[in-house]
Amino acid sequence: MRHSAIYPGTFDPLTLGHLDLVERAAHIFDRVIVAVVVHSRKRTVFSARDRIQMARESVKHLSNVKVDSFDGLLVDYARGLRVHVLLRGLRAFSDFEYEFQMALTNRKMAPDIETVFLMPQESYSYISSSTVREIVERGGDISEFVPLPVKRLIERRIKQK
Ligand code: COA
């Protein structure tokens, strides 16, 4: 039996913390699907297409990881793929309340789907997509916070503006 897990997120953009989590999951599960939500409840800075491309290029060294996108309810997407594990990262205690609410809501809607939490490497635990966006907006260097393909795509977008 193959064990698969879905790692859902907005990934606006994907950071080194997200990538660390994907790499950990790739050791545990046979297949990991990084699922980029197309319409996030948050207003995104990067288009769905860019968020997907950045994720895809960042995980291409991992043969059992693929990037996909979804819209609508996460549990419906998981059921459609017949995947019963959702993966989320816990960076600090402050993540807990939001993650707890989301995991229990998903469980209520789909009791057959379990949420599994992993912790990223502690040196990445302070990184967030919004701090990366803020540094980008103010012209700073994001090399320490995002994978190289993410940095490159963001630099291309800045030049195009
Ligand atoms: N490393 C770095 N940052 C991390 C991280 C990690 N390991 N884990 C979480 N984060 C940060 C992100 O950087 C982001 O930071 P920001 O708020 O500063 O931008 C934040 O935590 C969360 O972003 P992300 O990891 O991309 O996930 P999300 O919380 O945006 O994803 C969905 C939410 C997509 C899973 C959720 O909204 C969803 O399932 N939507 C579909 C609709 C649905 O089914 N809703 C019902 C669910 S209750």
Side-chain angles (χ1 to χ4, degrees), residues 7-21 35-37 39-42 70-76 88-91 95 98-99 101-106 109 118-120 124-133:
Y7 182 30
T10 306
F11 303 116
D12 187 38
L14 182 135
T15 66
L16 285 176
H18 289 125
L19 182 59
D20 179 79
L21 215 81
V36 179
V37 70
H39 294 105
S40 175
R41 63 179 174 184
K42 306 173 200 164
F70 76 104
D71 228 343
L73 282 180
L74 175 60
V75 290
D76 290 340
R88 292 287 294 170
L90 278 182
R91 291 165 300 171
D95 283 341
Y98 171 62
E99 296 297 336
Q101 184 188 34
M102 202 155 60
L104 292 187
T105 308
N106 283 333
M109 292 189 286
L118 291 178
M119 287 177 291
Y124 295 143
S125 60
Y126 66 95
I127 300 177
S128 77
S129 301
S130 54
T131 48
V132 169
R133 292 193 300 271

Side-chain angles (χ1 to χ4, degrees), residues 3-99:
H3 293 285
S4 302
I6 293 173
Y7 182 30
T10 306
F11 303 116
D12 187 38
L14 182 135
T15 66
L16 285 176
H18 289 125
L19 182 59
D20 179 79
L21 215 81
V22 175
E23 286 170 344
R24 282 169 203 282
H27 284 118
I28 301 171
F29 296 96
D30 297 314
R31 187 172 63 130
V32 178
I33 300 155
V34 177
V36 179
V37 70
V38 175
H39 294 105
S40 175
R41 63 179 174 184
K42 306 173 200 164
R43 228 187 100 248
T44 58
V45 165
F46 299 100
S47 68
R49 204 171 155 178
D50 279 354
R51 288 182 283 122
I52 294 162
Q53 188 183 337
M54 289 189 275
R56 211 161 259 159
E57 289 175 11
S58 301
V59 303
K60 68 172 183 242
H61 59 294
L62 301 164
S63 59
N64 61 337
V65 177
K66 78 165 206 167
V67 174
D68 192 17
S69 60
F70 76 104
D71 228 343
L73 282 180
L74 175 60
V75 290
D76 290 340
Y77 168 72
R79 276 189 180 133
L81 294 181
R82 296 176 192 274
V83 174
H84 298 274
V85 178
L86 304 176
L87 193 71
R88 292 287 294 170
L90 278 182
R91 291 165 300 171
F93 197 67
S94 50
D95 283 341
F96 181 76
E97 206 170 313
Y98 171 62
E99 296 297 336

